[in-house]
């Protein structure tokens, strides 16, 4: 019985991490990586694996956003959590979800429908289902996830048995950095705190209330989720690599996965993909809107009501969606390049909290990662800080790592042990 609960919990965590929008990044990474596709996948999966580590660490630290507050401080914790919520629930994920639905489900089948009328319809549906929650949404979500997984696995198996073409040489300038940036775009690392609450609440309802009782279950849950993510993301990256020069280089992220599906499964596969992606993106957007509106209602002490928040989110999502999927992804890159490193730093340190007695270590490391990632983003996109290229691991997308380490050391030296602060 316990094993069955562990597997169910692991599949649930995988489903929470794997949104339909994440379908578009691994194939594109594989196509650009060519013969180096596996290296790109490993770097992409590293960020995803850290998300699973973050779930374990956050539950160990208390299982809520309070773990972030206790580690780096209440005000910095609010800033970092709010930045993550703005990305996952306001400016990036919901508009990208709608744009992905349009590119993968509507445009291939109904080319006459424009993005504007579709986006209005999409967010009206999300608004109505979020303001008046219904078990229908929950049922769709539970039925949809297995269908999504089965459909993807069928696609991967067919692509391995009958490759689309030969794997071509890499045309990426830096496949390692591409893999890291794709991991940032998945935004799973920013969802750690919320997902940890869901997993822990489930364990408490099952009767496991202490960390000693929860430890093995959390480890098993995150292990199952990580394994499934590795299989699915690895397979999708390979599919992209196997396209070789068959599709040329003119396809964007969504267009590539649609083209791969059509090549392997025909038009019927495209229709199935369209239905699954539409429902998955709708339920994902509904969940994000509900969580985001609730967060800001609590943050403002009720001054921004839940329903007003939902309406604002729908208007903002519709407006940004009409920039187009490629534009949203391009805008998201520098933003996520700044926000993800301090999150990654903090969740990794939380995994070693039993050995960390000086709270300044968390604060210094997070500050070092934030400042470094900000300078790196300014240089990468505006080319205004050339010395950033001298940082160790810069070419791998981890130029912020050494400043984070140095910041942690300085913070630890300047702070007293926790027991001595009282």
């Amino acid at each position: 019985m316990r094993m069955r609960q562990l597997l169910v919990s692991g599949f649930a965590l995988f489903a929470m991490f794997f949104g339909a929008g994440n379908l578009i990044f691994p194939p594109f990474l594989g196509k650009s990586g060519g013969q180096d596709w596996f290296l790109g996948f490993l770097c992409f999966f590293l960020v995803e694996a850290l998300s699973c580590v973050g779930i374990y660490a956050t539950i160990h630290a208390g299982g809520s956003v309070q773990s972030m507050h206790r580690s780096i401080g209440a005000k910095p914790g609010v800033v970092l959590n709010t930045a993550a919520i703005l990305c996952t629930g306001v400016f990036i994920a919901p508009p990208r979800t709608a744009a992905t639905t349009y590119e993968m489900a509507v445009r291939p089948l109904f080319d006459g429908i424009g993005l504007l009328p579709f986006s209005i319809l999409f967010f009206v549906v999300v608004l109505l289902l979020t303001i008046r929650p219904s078990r229908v949404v929950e049922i769709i979500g539970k039925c949809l996830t297995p269908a999504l997984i089965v459909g993807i696995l069928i696609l991967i198996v067919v692509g391995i048995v009958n490759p689309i073409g030969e794997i071509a040489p890499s045309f990426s300038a830096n496949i390692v950095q591409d893999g890291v940036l794709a991991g940032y775009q998945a935004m799973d690392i920013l969802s750690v705190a919320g997902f940890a609450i869901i997993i822990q609440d489930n364990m408490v309802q099952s009767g496991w209330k202490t960390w000693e009782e929860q430890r093995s279950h959390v480890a098993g849950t995150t292990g199952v989720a990580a394994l499934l993510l590795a299989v699915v993301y690895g397979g999708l990256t390979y599919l992209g690599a196997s396209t070789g020069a068959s599709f040329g280089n003119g396809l964007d992220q969504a267009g590539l996965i649609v083209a791969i599906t059509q090549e392997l499964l025909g038009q019927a596969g495209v229709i199935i993909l369209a239905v699954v992606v539409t429902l998955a993106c709708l339920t994902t957007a509904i969940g994000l809107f509900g969580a985001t509106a609730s967060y800001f209602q609590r943050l403002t002490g009720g001054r921004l009501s839940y329903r007003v928040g939902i309406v604002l989110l729908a208007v903002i999502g519709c407006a940004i969606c009409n920039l187009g999927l490629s534009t949203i992804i391009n805008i998201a890159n520098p933003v996520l390049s700044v926000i993800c490193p301090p999150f990654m730093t903090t969740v990794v340190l939380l995994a070693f909290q039993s050995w960390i007695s000086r709270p300044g270590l968390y604060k210094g490391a997070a500050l070092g990662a934030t400042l470094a990632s900000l300078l790196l983003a300014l240089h990468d996109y505006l080319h205004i800080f050339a010395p950033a290229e001298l940082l160790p691991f810069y070419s791998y997308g981890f130029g912020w790592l050494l400043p984070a380490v140095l910041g942690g050391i300085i913070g630890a030296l300047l702070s007293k042990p926790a027991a001595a602060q009282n």
Side-chain angles (χ1 to χ4, degrees):
M1 184 67 176
R2 192 179 180 96
M3 178 58 71
R4 179 180 178 276
Q5 288 176 307
L6 188 150
L7 290 174
V8 170
S9 182
F11 272 82
L13 181 58
F14 164 81
M16 287 187 283
F17 275 136
F18 188 80
N22 291 3
L23 272 169
I24 65 179
F25 297 114
F28 197 79
L29 178 65
K31 182 170 177 57
S32 63
Q35 294 175 349
D36 294 331
W37 71 270
F38 191 72
L39 178 59
F41 157 71
L42 285 178
C43 296
F44 174 82
F45 181 66
L46 172 62
V47 181
E48 298 301 299
L50 286 177
S51 303
C52 293
V53 171
I55 294 290
Y56 182 94
T58 303
I59 293 177
H60 186 196
S64 73
V65 294
Q66 294 304 315
S67 63
M68 188 75 73
H69 295 180
R70 286 194 296 268
S71 60
I72 64 174
K75 291 182 179 179
V78 168
V79 171
L80 202 54
N81 277 318
T82 301
I85 289 291
L86 289 173
C87 289
T88 57
V90 184
F91 296 118
I92 299 178
R96 193 179 73 186
T97 298
T100 299
T101 306
Y102 178 77
E103 294 291 343
M104 295 179 63
V106 177
R107 193 173 180 180
L109 300 176
F110 309 100
D111 196 35
I113 299 178
L115 178 57
L116 178 59
F118 168 78
S119 63
I120 293 174
L121 176 62
F122 182 93
F123 283 107
V124 165
V125 172
V126 172
L127 184 149
L128 293 175
L129 291 177
T130 311
I131 284 184
R132 297 181 180 277
S134 169
R135 283 190 57 83
V136 172
V137 175
E138 181 182 350
I139 292 170
I140 289 175
K142 287 182 177 179
C143 295
L144 174 64
T145 299
L148 180 62
I149 295 173
V150 170
I152 293 169
L153 290 179
I154 290 174
L155 184 68
I156 291 171
V157 171
V158 172
I160 292 175
V161 175
N162 298 301
I164 294 175
E166 295 290 331
I167 298 179
S170 173
F171 63 83
S172 169
N174 192 331
I175 188 60
V176 172
Q177 192 171 57
D178 289 348
V180 173
L181 289 175
Y184 291 168
Q185 282 280 1
M187 290 192 290
D188 291 340
I189 192 68
L190 302 181
S191 305
V192 162
F195 292 167
I197 295 173
I198 296 173
I199 297 298
Q200 188 174 42
D201 286 348
N202 180 65
M203 290 188 296
V204 171
Q205 292 172 5
S206 299
W208 306 322
K209 298 183 179 181
T210 66
W211 172 245
E212 287 69 24
E213 295 172 327
Q214 296 172 355
R215 184 194 302 270
S216 61
H217 186 80
V218 175
T221 296
T222 53
V224 169
L227 178 62
L228 288 170
L229 288 170
V231 171
V232 171
Y233 284 139
L236 289 172
T237 308
Y238 170 78
L239 290 185
S242 69
T243 62
S246 302
F247 298 154
N249 298 324
L251 293 172
D252 59 13
Q253 288 91 339
L256 179 61
I257 186 63
V258 171
I260 289 173
T261 303
Q262 188 163 29
E263 182 72 20
L264 294 175
L265 301 178
Q267 190 64 17
V270 175
I271 295 173
I272 294 172
L273 180 68
V275 173
V276 171
V277 166
T278 299
L279 294 177
C281 287
L282 272 174
T283 52
T284 298
I286 290 165
L288 290 172
F289 270 28
T292 302
S294 297
Y295 174 82
F296 282 109
Q297 183 179 36
R298 292 195 301 270
L299 187 66
T300 62
R303 288 188 291 274
L304 180 63
S305 70
Y306 176 86
R307 291 196 173 191
V308 172
I310 292 295
V311 173
L312 289 175
L313 291 172
V315 173
I316 293 170
C318 186
I320 296 177
C321 172
N322 280 274
L323 296 175
L325 181 59
S326 296
T327 301
I328 294 171
I329 291 173
N330 291 334
I331 293 174
N333 263 329
V335 175
L336 296 175
S337 295
V338 173
I339 296 174
C340 287
F343 246 88
M344 293 170 64
T345 300
T346 304
V347 299
V348 169
L349 288 176
L350 284 173
F352 299 96
Q353 61 188 292
S354 299
W355 293 275
I356 298 175
S357 61
R358 296 176 181 265
L361 191 152
Y362 294 104
K363 298 176 183 179
L367 180 60
T370 301
L371 294 176
S373 60
L374 180 59
L375 289 175
L376 288 166
L378 288 173
H379 175 64
D380 289 342
Y381 295 97
L382 300 177
H383 308 289
I384 61 175
F385 192 69
E389 297 184 15
L390 300 176
L391 288 168
F393 311 113
Y394 168 81
S395 61
Y396 299 105
F398 286 98
W400 52 268
L401 186 58
L402 180 59
V405 172
L406 293 177
I409 293 173
I410 294 172
L413 292 175
L414 295 178
S415 65
K416 297 179 180 180
Q421 290 182 335
N422 298 325

